[in-house]
Amino acid sequence: MEPGEIKSILGGLGIKPSKRYSQNFLISEDIARKQVEAAGIESGDRVLEIGPGLGILTRYILERTDNAIFIEKDPHLAGYIEKKYKVDVICDDALAVEFPDVDIIVANLPYHISSEITLRILESGFKRAILMYQKEFADHLIAQPGSRDYSRITVAREFYADAEFIMKVPKSMYHPSPKVDSMIIKLSSREPPITPRDKDHFFKIIRLIFSHKKRTVRNALLSEAGILGISKPELRDKLEGLPHADERAFKLTLEELNDIVEFVYNIDI
Ligand code: SAM
């Protein structure tokens, strides 16, 4: 799809690419084809595409399966896809709609919702997802413990899925061109390598300690005493014996983080 063609379709639909909806459209058919190929769609697979936009991925998805679902927030684009590909599109916010039960997810994600939508995807029971992200966000997804990109989203990803780098996509491959390059990442779901006693509690404590990445785990927890519903001095006493207390959260493996969460779970606060 040449930028000229994209402009003319958008003009015909009466829309200007909206920053609020992260509307940057992929130009390269070659990248679109490779992205869909990487999904390894087989004929029985139920596939979800989030934000089909002008349908550059949609065409290749529909070549492989007729069991696909589309969620597009922009009603003009949803109508365009329905007409062009003779499919039904759920015209809604992918963060608000009930998440469909699918095997494979393919999307050039709206970048402003990368974090929330990735958490929804990870928790959804998917098998495989081939997702394009802004490079900076993708770096967080594939980060290793100890790197400055290792963050809360890395922990969530590590909990639910393996991540594999597929390819880098320069910003010039989009119209309009965004400020930064992109990356395609493959997520393959698998059993969590740890079994926290309470998953919600695990992610709550992870959120608290990663919101103070530069502090030691002990100090991060102490700064959140209020949220934990306990006074600081009382918490300090209860944290006596906390494993990895003097480490920073981003240096710890999933197993070590789970040791911390288990300890907090057991101190009765
Ligand atoms: N798939 C197209 C492509 O590769 O050219 C468009 C990708 S563009 C980065 C993101 C798409 O997601 C746009 O079509 C936009 O309208 C849609 N979108 C934005 N926010 C959304 C949301 N919350 N739920 C569903 N779709 C959304």
Side-chain angles (χ1 to χ4, degrees), residues 146 150 209-210 212-220 244-253 256-257 260:
Y150 190 79
I209 60 183
F210 274 90
H212 305 280
K213 269 178 90 171
K214 290 189 182 150
R215 296 193 187 160
T216 62
V217 171
R218 183 195 290 103
N219 286 343
H244 318 291
D246 296 318
E247 279 293 1
R248 270 91 182 142
F250 72 94
K251 299 208 165 155
L252 298 172
T253 63
E256 290 168 334
L257 290 167
I260 294 166

PDB file of all heavy atoms in Angstrom, residues 146 150 209-210 212-220 244-253 256-257 260:
ATOM      1  N   GLY A 146      17.931  -7.673  35.284  1.00  0.00           N
ATOM      2  CA  GLY A 146      19.174  -6.906  35.396  1.00  0.00           C
ATOM      3  C   GLY A 146      19.245  -5.804  34.355  1.00  0.00           C
ATOM      4  O   GLY A 146      20.001  -4.860  34.509  1.00  0.00           O
ATOM      5  N   TYR A 150      13.805  -4.186  32.188  1.00  0.00           N
ATOM      6  CA  TYR A 150      13.056  -5.216  32.921  1.00  0.00           C
ATOM      7  C   TYR A 150      12.060  -4.518  33.843  1.00  0.00           C
ATOM      8  O   TYR A 150      12.441  -3.723  34.699  1.00  0.00           O
ATOM      9  CB  TYR A 150      14.060  -6.045  33.725  1.00  0.00           C
ATOM     10  CG  TYR A 150      13.511  -7.304  34.358  1.00  0.00           C
ATOM     11  CD1 TYR A 150      13.313  -8.450  33.605  1.00  0.00           C
ATOM     12  CD2 TYR A 150      13.232  -7.358  35.713  1.00  0.00           C
ATOM     13  CE1 TYR A 150      12.845  -9.620  34.190  1.00  0.00           C
ATOM     14  CE2 TYR A 150      12.763  -8.521  36.310  1.00  0.00           C
ATOM     15  CZ  TYR A 150      12.572  -9.647  35.544  1.00  0.00           C
ATOM     16  OH  TYR A 150      12.116 -10.797  36.129  1.00  0.00           O
ATOM     17  N   ILE A 209       6.397  -3.061  44.001  1.00  0.00           N
ATOM     18  CA  ILE A 209       7.869  -2.989  44.079  1.00  0.00           C
ATOM     19  C   ILE A 209       8.484  -2.442  42.794  1.00  0.00           C
ATOM     20  O   ILE A 209       9.528  -1.831  42.832  1.00  0.00           O
ATOM     21  CB  ILE A 209       8.542  -4.304  44.571  1.00  0.00           C
ATOM     22  CG1 ILE A 209       8.238  -5.470  43.668  1.00  0.00           C
ATOM     23  CG2 ILE A 209       8.159  -4.630  45.986  1.00  0.00           C
ATOM     24  CD1 ILE A 209       8.845  -6.782  44.188  1.00  0.00           C
ATOM     25  N   PHE A 210       7.808  -2.636  41.665  1.00  0.00           N
ATOM     26  CA  PHE A 210       8.361  -2.088  40.422  1.00  0.00           C
ATOM     27  C   PHE A 210       8.039  -0.610  40.254  1.00  0.00           C
ATOM     28  O   PHE A 210       8.584   0.036  39.376  1.00  0.00           O
ATOM     29  CB  PHE A 210       7.898  -2.887  39.204  1.00  0.00           C
ATOM     30  CG  PHE A 210       8.781  -4.071  38.922  1.00  0.00           C
ATOM     31  CD1 PHE A 210       8.522  -5.314  39.483  1.00  0.00           C
ATOM     32  CD2 PHE A 210       9.905  -3.944  38.117  1.00  0.00           C
ATOM     33  CE1 PHE A 210       9.345  -6.408  39.243  1.00  0.00           C
ATOM     34  CE2 PHE A 210      10.743  -5.024  37.873  1.00  0.00           C
ATOM     35  CZ  PHE A 210      10.456  -6.255  38.438  1.00  0.00           C
ATOM     36  N   HIS A 212       8.988   1.462  42.286  1.00  0.00           N
ATOM     37  CA  HIS A 212      10.156   2.130  42.884  1.00  0.00           C
ATOM     38  C   HIS A 212      11.397   1.360  42.448  1.00  0.00           C
ATOM     39  O   HIS A 212      12.093   0.760  43.271  1.00  0.00           O
ATOM     40  CB  HIS A 212      10.062   2.112  44.407  1.00  0.00           C
ATOM     41  CG  HIS A 212       8.791   2.709  44.921  1.00  0.00           C
ATOM     42  ND1 HIS A 212       8.594   4.056  45.030  1.00  0.00           N
ATOM     43  CD2 HIS A 212       7.638   2.121  45.307  1.00  0.00           C
ATOM     44  CE1 HIS A 212       7.378   4.271  45.493  1.00  0.00           C
ATOM     45  NE2 HIS A 212       6.778   3.127  45.658  1.00  0.00           N
ATOM     46  N   LYS A 213      11.643   1.359  41.144  1.00  0.00           N
ATOM     47  CA  LYS A 213      12.692   0.491  40.589  1.00  0.00           C
ATOM     48  C   LYS A 213      14.083   0.754  41.142  1.00  0.00           C
ATOM     49  O   LYS A 213      14.913  -0.130  41.217  1.00  0.00           O
ATOM     50  CB  LYS A 213      12.730   0.657  39.057  1.00  0.00           C
ATOM     51  CG  LYS A 213      11.836  -0.319  38.338  1.00  0.00           C
ATOM     52  CD  LYS A 213      11.857  -0.102  36.860  1.00  0.00           C
ATOM     53  CE  LYS A 213      12.912  -0.906  36.180  1.00  0.00           C
ATOM     54  NZ  LYS A 213      12.795  -0.846  34.706  1.00  0.00           N
ATOM     55  N   LYS A 214      14.316   2.029  41.546  1.00  0.00           N
ATOM     56  CA  LYS A 214      15.676   2.346  42.008  1.00  0.00           C
ATOM     57  C   LYS A 214      15.875   2.019  43.479  1.00  0.00           C
ATOM     58  O   LYS A 214      16.979   2.084  43.991  1.00  0.00           O
ATOM     59  CB  LYS A 214      15.973   3.822  41.749  1.00  0.00           C
ATOM     60  CG  LYS A 214      16.121   4.096  40.265  1.00  0.00           C
ATOM     61  CD  LYS A 214      16.617   5.487  40.011  1.00  0.00           C
ATOM     62  CE  LYS A 214      16.703   5.734  38.524  1.00  0.00           C
ATOM     63  NZ  LYS A 214      16.476   7.137  38.187  1.00  0.00           N
ATOM     64  N   ARG A 215      14.766   1.722  44.169  1.00  0.00           N
ATOM     65  CA  ARG A 215      14.910   1.426  45.604  1.00  0.00           C
ATOM     66  C   ARG A 215      15.086  -0.068  45.815  1.00  0.00           C
ATOM     67  O   ARG A 215      14.708  -0.871  44.969  1.00  0.00           O
ATOM     68  CB  ARG A 215      13.638   1.861  46.347  1.00  0.00           C
ATOM     69  CG  ARG A 215      13.457   3.333  46.266  1.00  0.00           C
ATOM     70  CD  ARG A 215      12.408   3.816  47.227  1.00  0.00           C
ATOM     71  NE  ARG A 215      12.196   5.229  46.941  1.00  0.00           N
ATOM     72  CZ  ARG A 215      11.138   5.903  47.292  1.00  0.00           C
ATOM     73  NH1 ARG A 215      10.161   5.321  47.958  1.00  0.00           N
ATOM     74  NH2 ARG A 215      11.031   7.179  46.997  1.00  0.00           N
ATOM     75  N   THR A 216      15.624  -0.411  46.975  1.00  0.00           N
ATOM     76  CA  THR A 216      15.707  -1.833  47.304  1.00  0.00           C
ATOM     77  C   THR A 216      14.282  -2.342  47.511  1.00  0.00           C
ATOM     78  O   THR A 216      13.359  -1.548  47.762  1.00  0.00           O
ATOM     79  CB  THR A 216      16.494  -2.041  48.616  1.00  0.00           C
ATOM     80  OG1 THR A 216      15.773  -1.381  49.663  1.00  0.00           O
ATOM     81  CG2 THR A 216      17.905  -1.498  48.513  1.00  0.00           C
ATOM     82  N   VAL A 217      14.148  -3.645  47.438  1.00  0.00           N
ATOM     83  CA  VAL A 217      12.803  -4.215  47.588  1.00  0.00           C
ATOM     84  C   VAL A 217      12.211  -3.820  48.948  1.00  0.00           C
ATOM     85  O   VAL A 217      11.040  -3.455  49.054  1.00  0.00           O
ATOM     86  CB  VAL A 217      12.872  -5.755  47.431  1.00  0.00           C
ATOM     87  CG1 VAL A 217      11.556  -6.387  47.804  1.00  0.00           C
ATOM     88  CG2 VAL A 217      13.256  -6.118  46.000  1.00  0.00           C
ATOM     89  N   ARG A 218      13.052  -3.866  50.004  1.00  0.00           N
ATOM     90  CA  ARG A 218      12.545  -3.515  51.336  1.00  0.00           C
ATOM     91  C   ARG A 218      12.020  -2.074  51.333  1.00  0.00           C
ATOM     92  O   ARG A 218      10.883  -1.804  51.756  1.00  0.00           O
ATOM     93  CB  ARG A 218      13.635  -3.658  52.405  1.00  0.00           C
ATOM     94  CG  ARG A 218      13.105  -3.369  53.809  1.00  0.00           C
ATOM     95  CD  ARG A 218      14.188  -3.134  54.835  1.00  0.00           C
ATOM     96  NE  ARG A 218      14.935  -4.335  55.162  1.00  0.00           N
ATOM     97  CZ  ARG A 218      16.168  -4.600  54.706  1.00  0.00           C
ATOM     98  NH1 ARG A 218      16.793  -3.728  53.925  1.00  0.00           N
ATOM     99  NH2 ARG A 218      16.785  -5.705  55.044  1.00  0.00           N
ATOM    100  N   ASN A 219      12.829  -1.152  50.810  1.00  0.00           N
ATOM    101  CA  ASN A 219      12.424   0.254  50.828  1.00  0.00           C
ATOM    102  C   ASN A 219      11.224   0.510  49.924  1.00  0.00           C
ATOM    103  O   ASN A 219      10.384   1.358  50.227  1.00  0.00           O
ATOM    104  CB  ASN A 219      13.596   1.155  50.441  1.00  0.00           C
ATOM    105  CG  ASN A 219      14.599   1.236  51.575  1.00  0.00           C
ATOM    106  OD1 ASN A 219      14.259   0.893  52.713  1.00  0.00           O
ATOM    107  ND2 ASN A 219      15.822   1.642  51.278  1.00  0.00           N
ATOM    108  N   ALA A 220      11.150  -0.222  48.808  1.00  0.00           N
ATOM    109  CA  ALA A 220       9.993  -0.064  47.916  1.00  0.00           C
ATOM    110  C   ALA A 220       8.719  -0.465  48.663  1.00  0.00           C
ATOM    111  O   ALA A 220       7.709   0.251  48.623  1.00  0.00           O
ATOM    112  CB  ALA A 220      10.182  -0.932  46.679  1.00  0.00           C
ATOM    113  N   HIS A 244      15.879 -11.351  49.551  1.00  0.00           N
ATOM    114  CA  HIS A 244      16.328 -10.390  48.515  1.00  0.00           C
ATOM    115  C   HIS A 244      15.999  -8.935  48.892  1.00  0.00           C
ATOM    116  O   HIS A 244      15.830  -8.094  48.010  1.00  0.00           O
ATOM    117  CB  HIS A 244      15.701 -10.720  47.157  1.00  0.00           C
ATOM    118  CG  HIS A 244      15.683 -12.184  46.861  1.00  0.00           C
ATOM    119  ND1 HIS A 244      16.833 -12.901  46.620  1.00  0.00           N
ATOM    120  CD2 HIS A 244      14.653 -13.081  46.794  1.00  0.00           C
ATOM    121  CE1 HIS A 244      16.504 -14.185  46.408  1.00  0.00           C
ATOM    122  NE2 HIS A 244      15.211 -14.312  46.513  1.00  0.00           N
ATOM    123  N   ALA A 245      15.922  -8.670  50.216  1.00  0.00           N
ATOM    124  CA  ALA A 245      15.462  -7.358  50.692  1.00  0.00           C
ATOM    125  C   ALA A 245      16.327  -6.212  50.183  1.00  0.00           C
ATOM    126  O   ALA A 245      15.831  -5.109  49.939  1.00  0.00           O
ATOM    127  CB  ALA A 245      15.457  -7.353  52.218  1.00  0.00           C
ATOM    128  N   ASP A 246      17.636  -6.452  50.003  1.00  0.00           N
ATOM    129  CA  ASP A 246      18.528  -5.351  49.622  1.00  0.00           C
ATOM    130  C   ASP A 246      18.784  -5.270  48.127  1.00  0.00           C
ATOM    131  O   ASP A 246      19.615  -4.486  47.675  1.00  0.00           O
ATOM    132  CB  ASP A 246      19.857  -5.477  50.391  1.00  0.00           C
ATOM    133  CG  ASP A 246      19.613  -5.321  51.877  1.00  0.00           C
ATOM    134  OD1 ASP A 246      18.820  -4.434  52.241  1.00  0.00           O
ATOM    135  OD2 ASP A 246      20.154  -6.123  52.666  1.00  0.00           O
ATOM    136  N   GLU A 247      18.071  -6.074  47.350  1.00  0.00           N
ATOM    137  CA  GLU A 247      18.192  -6.034  45.885  1.00  0.00           C
ATOM    138  C   GLU A 247      17.178  -5.063  45.289  1.00  0.00           C
ATOM    139  O   GLU A 247      16.200  -4.697  45.943  1.00  0.00           O
ATOM    140  CB  GLU A 247      17.909  -7.427  45.291  1.00  0.00           C
ATOM    141  CG  GLU A 247      19.074  -8.367  45.343  1.00  0.00           C
ATOM    142  CD  GLU A 247      20.237  -7.945  44.437  1.00  0.00           C
ATOM    143  OE1 GLU A 247      20.146  -6.893  43.771  1.00  0.00           O
ATOM    144  OE2 GLU A 247      21.246  -8.664  44.429  1.00  0.00           O
ATOM    145  N   ARG A 248      17.409  -4.669  44.027  1.00  0.00           N
ATOM    146  CA  ARG A 248      16.394  -3.910  43.289  1.00  0.00           C
ATOM    147  C   ARG A 248      15.553  -4.925  42.516  1.00  0.00           C
ATOM    148  O   ARG A 248      16.117  -5.910  41.981  1.00  0.00           O
ATOM    149  CB  ARG A 248      17.048  -2.956  42.283  1.00  0.00           C
ATOM    150  CG  ARG A 248      17.341  -1.597  42.870  1.00  0.00           C
ATOM    151  CD  ARG A 248      18.726  -1.548  43.451  1.00  0.00           C
ATOM    152  NE  ARG A 248      19.025  -0.261  44.067  1.00  0.00           N
ATOM    153  CZ  ARG A 248      19.734  -0.146  45.189  1.00  0.00           C
ATOM    154  NH1 ARG A 248      20.167  -1.214  45.833  1.00  0.00           N
ATOM    155  NH2 ARG A 248      19.993   1.041  45.681  1.00  0.00           N
ATOM    156  N   ALA A 249      14.254  -4.655  42.419  1.00  0.00           N
ATOM    157  CA  ALA A 249      13.341  -5.645  41.814  1.00  0.00           C
ATOM    158  C   ALA A 249      13.770  -6.044  40.404  1.00  0.00           C
ATOM    159  O   ALA A 249      13.676  -7.210  40.024  1.00  0.00           O
ATOM    160  CB  ALA A 249      11.922  -5.084  41.785  1.00  0.00           C
ATOM    161  N   PHE A 250      14.292  -5.082  39.630  1.00  0.00           N
ATOM    162  CA  PHE A 250      14.583  -5.390  38.219  1.00  0.00           C
ATOM    163  C   PHE A 250      15.768  -6.330  38.045  1.00  0.00           C
ATOM    164  O   PHE A 250      16.052  -6.789  36.944  1.00  0.00           O
ATOM    165  CB  PHE A 250      14.767  -4.100  37.404  1.00  0.00           C
ATOM    166  CG  PHE A 250      16.036  -3.348  37.670  1.00  0.00           C
ATOM    167  CD1 PHE A 250      17.159  -3.566  36.879  1.00  0.00           C
ATOM    168  CD2 PHE A 250      16.111  -2.433  38.694  1.00  0.00           C
ATOM    169  CE1 PHE A 250      18.348  -2.874  37.119  1.00  0.00           C
ATOM    170  CE2 PHE A 250      17.295  -1.733  38.947  1.00  0.00           C
ATOM    171  CZ  PHE A 250      18.406  -1.958  38.155  1.00  0.00           C
ATOM    172  N   LYS A 251      16.466  -6.635  39.163  1.00  0.00           N
ATOM    173  CA  LYS A 251      17.602  -7.562  39.071  1.00  0.00           C
ATOM    174  C   LYS A 251      17.189  -8.995  39.393  1.00  0.00           C
ATOM    175  O   LYS A 251      18.012  -9.907  39.344  1.00  0.00           O
ATOM    176  CB  LYS A 251      18.697  -7.126  40.038  1.00  0.00           C
ATOM    177  CG  LYS A 251      19.217  -5.749  39.709  1.00  0.00           C
ATOM    178  CD  LYS A 251      20.642  -5.577  40.134  1.00  0.00           C
ATOM    179  CE  LYS A 251      21.219  -4.352  39.462  1.00  0.00           C
ATOM    180  NZ  LYS A 251      22.319  -3.766  40.168  1.00  0.00           N
ATOM    181  N   LEU A 252      15.930  -9.182  39.761  1.00  0.00           N
ATOM    182  CA  LEU A 252      15.519 -10.487  40.283  1.00  0.00           C
ATOM    183  C   LEU A 252      14.766 -11.332  39.258  1.00  0.00           C
ATOM    184  O   LEU A 252      14.025 -10.801  38.426  1.00  0.00           O
ATOM    185  CB  LEU A 252      14.623 -10.260  41.509  1.00  0.00           C
ATOM    186  CG  LEU A 252      15.316  -9.531  42.662  1.00  0.00           C
ATOM    187  CD1 LEU A 252      14.317  -9.183  43.750  1.00  0.00           C
ATOM    188  CD2 LEU A 252      16.456 -10.369  43.235  1.00  0.00           C
ATOM    189  N   THR A 253      14.964 -12.643  39.344  1.00  0.00           N
ATOM    190  CA  THR A 253      14.238 -13.547  38.442  1.00  0.00           C
ATOM    191  C   THR A 253      12.805 -13.703  38.956  1.00  0.00           C
ATOM    192  O   THR A 253      12.487 -13.329  40.094  1.00  0.00           O
ATOM    193  CB  THR A 253      14.885 -14.947  38.437  1.00  0.00           C
ATOM    194  OG1 THR A 253      14.756 -15.482  39.767  1.00  0.00           O
ATOM    195  CG2 THR A 253      16.351 -14.892  38.037  1.00  0.00           C
ATOM    196  N   GLU A 256      12.740 -15.527  42.203  1.00  0.00           N
ATOM    197  CA  GLU A 256      13.151 -14.703  43.359  1.00  0.00           C
ATOM    198  C   GLU A 256      12.048 -13.707  43.731  1.00  0.00           C
ATOM    199  O   GLU A 256      11.786 -13.459  44.910  1.00  0.00           O
ATOM    200  CB  GLU A 256      14.452 -13.968  43.024  1.00  0.00           C
ATOM    201  CG  GLU A 256      15.639 -14.928  42.944  1.00  0.00           C
ATOM    202  CD  GLU A 256      16.898 -14.316  42.326  1.00  0.00           C
ATOM    203  OE1 GLU A 256      16.788 -13.360  41.516  1.00  0.00           O
ATOM    204  OE2 GLU A 256      17.995 -14.813  42.621  1.00  0.00           O
ATOM    205  N   LEU A 257      11.395 -13.163  42.703  1.00  0.00           N
ATOM    206  CA  LEU A 257      10.288 -12.239  42.979  1.00  0.00           C
ATOM    207  C   LEU A 257       9.170 -12.979  43.707  1.00  0.00           C
ATOM    208  O   LEU A 257       8.543 -12.446  44.628  1.00  0.00           O
ATOM    209  CB  LEU A 257       9.765 -11.630  41.666  1.00  0.00           C
ATOM    210  CG  LEU A 257      10.715 -10.638  40.994  1.00  0.00           C
ATOM    211  CD1 LEU A 257      10.271 -10.340  39.563  1.00  0.00           C
ATOM    212  CD2 LEU A 257      10.812  -9.334  41.787  1.00  0.00           C
ATOM    213  N   ILE A 260       9.721 -13.242  47.374  1.00  0.00           N
ATOM    214  CA  ILE A 260       9.356 -12.008  48.086  1.00  0.00           C
ATOM    215  C   ILE A 260       7.843 -11.964  48.316  1.00  0.00           C
ATOM    216  O   ILE A 260       7.360 -11.700  49.418  1.00  0.00           O
ATOM    217  CB  ILE A 260       9.806 -10.778  47.263  1.00  0.00           C
ATOM    218  CG1 ILE A 260      11.326 -10.743  47.208  1.00  0.00           C
ATOM    219  CG2 ILE A 260       9.239  -9.489  47.842  1.00  0.00           C
ATOM    220  CD1 ILE A 260      11.876  -9.790  46.174  1.00  0.00           C
TER     221      ILE A 260
END
